[in-house]
Amino acid sequence: MNIIILLVVCAGLVAMRFVPKINILGWLAGWWIAVFVFLRWGIDPPLPTSIQGMFVAILTLALVAYLSANSAHFRFVLDQFVAFTTQKKYTISLLAVIAVLPCLVALRVYFDVTEGPAPPLSSRTIHPPPPTSIEVAGNTIDLVNDDNPYRALETEDPAAFEEHVENGRRVYYENCVYCHGDDMAGDGLFAHGFDPIPANFQDATTIAMLQEGYIFWRIAKGGPGLPNESTPWLSAMPAWENFLSEEDMWDVTLFLYDFTGHRPRAREDHGGGGDH
Amino acid sequence: MGEVETIRNNTDIAIRSSACRAERAVVRFSRSSLISYVLGACLPVVLLPLTVLAQPAPDLGADEQREAGRLLYIDKCAQCHGETGKGDGVAAPFMRPMPRDFTAGIYKVRTTPSGQLPTDDDIAGVIRNGMPYTGMPPWPQLNDDEIRNLVYYLKTFNDDFSGPYGVPDVIEIPNPPSFSESSAERGRAVYEENQCFDCHGMAGRGDGPSAVTLQEQWGNHIRPADLTKRWTFIGGDTREDIYRTFTTGLDGSPMPSYSITPIEDSWALVDYVYSLSQDDPDYATSATAQYANDPVDPAQGRAAFGEERGAYFPVVGQIIEPGRSFMPGVDGIEVKVRYNADEIAILLSWHDMSAETTGSNAPDMEVPPTEQVVRDTVTSIWSDAVAVQFPRELASGGMPYFLFGDARQPVDLWFADLASGEGRSYVGRGSGNLLAGETSPSVYATYEDGAWTAVFTMPRDERFAEDTFVPIAFSVWDGFNDERGNRRGVTGWYYLYLEPSERPSPVMPMLRASGLTLFVLLSIVGLMRFRYRTSVSA
């Protein structure tokens, strides 16, 4: 979402309210342009052109429906149209439209043909439902019922908890920082080389809405541990069970939350991820 | 001589007086000779003005500002720069250049003469913008006050900031004249006169004769900047930044400072350096294979593939599987492809400071997991190498794992060891499971002016059908950087599009579409007029 474009579009629509004597045609054109601009430039990452086209078609239909719902408006637009196509004073503009429109269409076709097709886009489920249990270094970890074994220390023994967080800090800066970045915003030194890009832990849609067991699963099994709908072949997230001990992985989980100030999703609502 | 006591050790003397280096055209970094030169000539020059001039007091901030800076530092910076500012945080062993040791008081990016401390704004600028393509990240999320507090705190690590050197001189950067081709052309002569090529190479790719021997003040090898990739400049990539870089030098690194006169020559040099590189890397997501009637002659190199720039993909360290590569030697690879009825020819080109053509290399060489991470050792054990990877079969339900495939879906790996120039193929089912493939690619590789160019030619199989997108990925090994096996530079999956041999002409579809539009418009207008006339006459 590009906030600036959104603001400009809204400002444009508000400004239209203050234009004196604007007729229904002006309104329709204004809305059409506003929504088009937002679809085209306001969304980040950009929508594929086919989807954009679909939305624009729906928008056009909706505006026509809106128009025909009010017979006075409809009559007015129709009269304007009839006048434009038949009256002498409009002849020159009419000829111009008849000449220019086909040229624009030809230009559009030219770009479509010469540009060539765009590479296929793969859609992926970002947070697939986790398995119920995983095997790490011979240990079975029950992802439904087991909690971070060191989380309880937070209240019971803050000093010991602090040690685990500090160990997590070390693990993070020795291993994760190159991808997830210094401030955990998913923009590390190597992030530009990977697609999907490394997760942004500052964002409210990653660790903030997941349980620690889910995070542990993702850390231990990495990209290759994902189910097919999450394109495991593209994810650069390493399977850390190859490098780290179970304790290190729980500790780095603590550190992710400690550093970002997020809290893990509470245990009551079972199910972990599942959201797309 | 009270002043002498403020200089605490030899290193400091060498640094403080490295302003004197500017006079020498080329400075090879040798500390002992520098020191004697310095002691003989420069010491009085540096110290004399200080005894005469009364300096304004340095701005060290208030206690609470430094304390706020300290807390931020411990949270955000100490992991790399160390709790005591010595540049020895936990992440330091994995980074080259190493995180800065703030206790030394040596800063690369400055608006002050070589050998002097940076201004507060210089340090703040580096914190805000980071140093791209190094471990030093930008911190746009910190506000101006937070950054200023950090600066105050960083200054406490070195006493010079509070002493007589605390208020450095500032070099004015004059308003730049606008860029011109002719000035850039003249700049080439200035580049040669000042022997920048000794480190940066004739084509500016960082491959000069001295490049392999350069050391930072802190003892690690450092590569001269690749001037054809302006976006990697640690001190910024505007023309003012480039002017500042060679005028003030990058202290602590072998990049010397120059005073190039007249001023027009300075800007000519700036324009020359500026003209060597595009504005940004313009990373691609797919490469296009063009149809060529005749087979490609690999011996012609790039000329056989057309002059325009190919698709350029980012290469990053393989830090996903054991045998990790935290500081890969290569950061991007350019790809151009041609095909005809029987063959597909792929040109891969990348910049490499030095060609390792002795020893050998292979994608399945063992890398001990405990191997110490060091960058750039001249061992001549491992040669440079490159590989291109495709899925063995194009399946609709997914792709092989991007690191040499997996058990479910294998990849074809075309590999070239650039010592023997021999091409090999592998079938990969994961990086622990590479078997020799059936047909080996023929490879033709050359190294010139800091760039490798390798052309792979293979029979064209049914995967490479016209008008299809084939997943493609790359691996690059820099032998100079101990890279082999899993220790390498990698890319994720990208696409190779095979452009149809018959490019459909756009003329017919254009005529058809515009004709149809015209017809519809005319019929609407005709209909309206007809109805109107009948209704009026009725």
Side-chain angles (χ1 to χ4, degrees):
Chain A
M1 195 79 80
N2 189 329
I3 300 293
I4 298 178
I5 299 280
L6 187 64
L7 287 180
V8 167
V9 165
C10 293
L13 286 176
V14 170
M16 225 159 59
R17 280 231 157 257
F18 297 103
V19 178
K21 282 201 292 183
I22 187 163
N23 63 29
I24 180 72
L25 264 182
W27 267 109
L28 291 182
W31 270 96
W32 197 90
I33 291 172
V35 178
F36 179 81
V37 166
F38 178 69
L39 281 174
R40 185 66 204 275
W41 293 286
I43 296 178
D44 200 28
L47 295 174
T49 24
S50 55
I51 310 258
Q52 276 180 27
M54 207 175 73
F55 278 124
V56 168
I58 294 177
L59 165 72
T60 314
L61 278 180
L63 290 180
V64 168
Y66 172 77
L67 176 68
S68 51
N70 179 326
S71 60
H73 281 163
F74 191 65
R75 201 59 252 163
F76 171 77
V77 171
L78 206 66
D79 288 347
Q80 290 285 313
F81 186 66
V82 171
F84 184 69
T85 49
T86 54
Q87 272 164 30
K88 249 223 169 80
K89 60 172 177 181
Y90 292 123
T91 310
I92 298 198
S93 353
L94 183 64
L95 283 179
V97 167
I98 292 181
V100 168
L101 261 187
C103 292
L104 285 180
V105 170
L107 204 67
R108 176 76 230 223
V109 170
Y110 175 81
F111 283 128
D112 279 357
V113 173
T114 47
E115 222 170 56
L121 287 175
S122 49
S123 63
R124 61 188 295 272
T125 305
I126 297 172
H127 293 130
T132 48
S133 70
I134 55 172
E135 199 73 36
V136 172
N139 264 349
T140 305
I141 296 176
D142 180 345
L143 292 180
V144 182
N145 297 310
D146 286 0
D147 225 329
N148 190 334
Y150 309 109
R151 177 60 71 184
L153 295 176
E154 195 172 8
T155 42
E156 289 163 11
D157 184 354
F161 182 73
E162 197 45 40
E163 258 169 49
H164 283 285
V165 172
E166 280 310 305
N167 183 44
R169 182 188 293 272
R170 176 191 62 81
V171 171
Y172 185 86
Y173 283 92
E174 284 180 3
N175 298 288
C176 321
V177 65
Y178 315 96
C179 291
H180 291 286
D182 305 84
D183 211 35
M184 300 200 179
D187 56 357
L189 179 54
F190 293 152
H192 66 289
F194 299 118
D195 179 22
I197 53 170
N200 173 351
F201 302 134
Q202 299 286 3
D203 197 274
T205 64
T206 63
I207 58 171
M209 56 172 228
L210 299 167
Q211 292 176 354
E212 280 183 288
Y214 192 92
I215 303 298
F216 184 82
W217 164 57
R218 290 308 322 277
I219 295 174
K221 301 294 176 183
L226 288 168
N228 262 357
E229 74 259 27
S230 300
T231 60
W233 49 85
L234 293 178
S235 168
M237 172 66 187
W240 289 103
E241 59 180 349
N242 300 331
F243 298 89
L244 301 175
S245 71
E246 201 184 310
E247 181 176 338
D248 280 349
M249 292 192 278
W250 283 122
D251 286 355
V252 75
T253 310
L254 293 181
F255 178 63
L256 297 186
Y257 287 103
D258 185 79
F259 187 86
T260 56
H262 292 310
R263 298 297 301 173
R265 173 155 152 189
R267 192 128 279 275
E268 290 80 68
D269 43 3
H270 275 282
D275 15 36
H276 292 182
Chain B
M1 282 278 284
E3 289 75 18
V4 178
E5 280 155 23
T6 63
I7 295 169
R8 282 158 307 144
N9 57 43
N10 279 349
T11 345
D12 257 10
I13 299 176
I15 299 145
R16 292 285 163 261
S17 43
S18 50
C20 311
R21 281 185 285 166
E23 262 57 65
R24 297 197 286 170
V26 174
V27 185
R28 295 232 178 65
F29 209 76
S30 146
R31 217 187 290 183
S32 53
S33 68
L34 201 60
I35 291 170
S36 45
Y37 176 38
V38 154
L39 285 175
C42 298
L43 205 53
V45 184
V46 173
L47 296 180
L48 231 132
L50 292 172
T51 54
V52 187
L53 290 174
Q55 295 271 1
D59 174 13
L60 300 172
D63 279 345
E64 45 292 2
Q65 286 175 307
R66 286 192 299 272
E67 177 59 15
R70 188 183 69 84
L71 293 176
L72 258 177
Y73 179 88
I74 295 297
D75 191 35
K76 310 253 188 219
C77 321
Q79 302 86 2
C80 293
H81 291 286
E83 307 255 330
T84 54
K86 281 213 167 67
D88 57 356
V90 290
F94 304 96
M95 300 195 171
R96 296 292 181 281
M98 300 267 275
R100 188 73 66 254
D101 171 358
F102 296 126
T103 62
I106 305 173
Y107 287 75
K108 287 185 180 174
V109 181
R110 302 172 337 278
T111 53
T112 63
S114 180
Q116 294 205 16
L117 293 170
T119 64
D120 289 7
D121 286 347
D122 294 341
I123 306 179
V126 166
I127 299 174
R128 194 171 293 113
N129 303 324
M131 299 164 106
Y133 293 80
T134 75
M136 176 65 193
W139 296 91
Q141 66 275 38
L142 299 181
N143 65 32
D144 289 352
D145 286 340
E146 290 172 318
I147 291 188
R148 200 182 45 218
N149 295 344
L150 273 168
V151 171
Y152 287 140
Y153 183 62
L154 294 191
K155 294 196 339 179
T156 63
F157 286 123
N158 184 290
D159 293 341
D160 286 346
F161 280 107
S162 52
Y165 302 110
V167 182
D169 308 326
V170 174
I171 291 184
E172 288 287 321
I173 300 180
N175 264 346
S178 56
F179 176 85
S180 83
E181 290 293 340
S182 61
S183 149
E185 203 130 298
R186 243 169 356 95
R188 182 172 179 95
V190 184
Y191 183 82
E192 280 166 15
E193 260 162 45
N194 287 283
Q195 301 181 12
C196 309
F197 57 78
D198 190 42
C199 299
H200 291 287
M202 284 315 277
R205 297 188 182 123
D207 59 315
S210 303
V212 294
T213 60
L214 299 176
Q215 295 250 318
E216 277 197 301
Q217 185 88 33
W218 303 274
N220 294 302
H221 177 258
I222 180 147
R223 300 182 169 210
D226 184 339
L227 301 181
T228 67
K229 300 178 179 174
R230 204 194 303 145
W231 54 87
T232 64
F233 288 179
I234 56 173
D237 61 358
T238 66
R239 289 164 70 237
E240 288 89 330
D241 289 332
I242 297 171
Y243 177 96
R244 191 203 56 229
T245 295
F246 67 71
T247 307
T248 68
L250 300 176
D251 282 2
S253 121
M255 172 67 201
S257 64
Y258 293 83
S259 65
I260 291 168
T261 46
I263 185 86
E264 289 75 36
D265 279 6
S266 277
W267 288 111
L269 181 59
V270 167
D271 286 346
Y272 176 64
V273 171
Y274 199 75
S275 72
L276 290 174
S277 154
Q278 324 193 116
D279 288 343
D280 54 52
D282 207 4
Y283 291 128
T285 54
S286 69
T288 302
Q290 276 160 355
Y291 184 86
N293 280 316
D294 306 319
V296 162
D297 174 13
Q300 280 184 29
R302 293 186 77 85
F305 288 80
E307 279 310 313
E308 75 283 9
R309 184 180 190 244
Y312 185 64
F313 300 111
V315 172
V316 295
Q318 191 293 108
I319 52 166
I320 298 154
E321 296 188 336
R324 289 181 284 175
S325 165
F326 292 96
M327 20 191 136
V330 179
D331 63 6
I333 190 167
E334 187 194 350
V335 181
K336 304 178 94 173
V337 187
R338 289 278 189 279
Y339 75 101
N340 62 22
D342 319 308
E343 274 181 357
I344 181 160
I346 303 180
L347 175 140
L348 304 177
S349 178
W350 67 98
H351 295 181
D352 186 343
M353 188 183 58
S354 73
E356 273 64 53
T357 52
T358 54
S360 66
N361 213 324
D364 52 359
M365 278 185 175
E366 282 295 326
V367 182
T370 52
E371 182 177 270
Q372 239 209 327
V373 205
V374 278
R375 190 176 190 184
D376 294 349
T377 45
V378 198
T379 53
S380 10
I381 305 177
W382 292 290
S383 54
D384 291 339
V386 69
V388 51
Q389 165 186 304
F390 299 100
R392 202 162 163 72
E393 268 144 36
L394 298 184
S396 55
M399 298 181 199
Y401 189 40
F402 75 104
L403 296 174
F404 294 162
D406 52 48
R408 192 177 39 88
Q409 287 195 48
V411 295
D412 271 337
L413 199 66
W414 303 349
F415 172 84
D417 179 340
L418 300 172
S420 57
E422 157 212 22
R424 268 175 274 164
S425 82
Y426 294 86
V427 179
R429 291 184 174 78
S431 48
N433 189 351
L434 291 168
L435 302 171
E438 306 93 45
T439 20
S440 297
S442 85
V443 173
Y444 187 91
T446 51
Y447 179 83
E448 202 189 330
D449 270 345
W452 272 111
T453 306
V455 180
F456 286 81
T457 320
M458 272 293 250
R460 182 177 155 222
D461 57 48
E462 59 285 359
R463 257 178 314 190
F464 302 106
E466 287 187 14
D467 198 20
T468 45
F469 282 93
V470 184
I472 187 171
F474 311 90
S475 293
V476 194
W477 289 265
D478 181 3
F480 185 69
N481 194 21
D482 273 357
E483 294 177 15
R484 75 277 185 203
N486 265 354
R487 190 160 163 184
R488 66 182 192 277
V490 293
T491 74
W493 282 120
Y494 293 99
Y495 281 104
L496 175 64
Y497 175 64
L498 289 99
E499 206 169 72
S501 53
E502 299 284 323
R503 305 266 319 275
S505 145
V507 175
M508 270 324 282
M510 280 165 71
L511 281 182
R512 219 177 305 134
S514 55
L516 194 70
T517 320
L518 191 66
F519 174 75
V520 170
L521 284 176
L522 286 178
S523 349
I524 294 179
V525 172
L527 196 72
M528 296 305 287
R529 295 202 154 190
F530 176 72
R531 289 279 302 273
Y532 183 69
R533 215 161 299 143
T534 43
S535 72
V536 168
S537 58

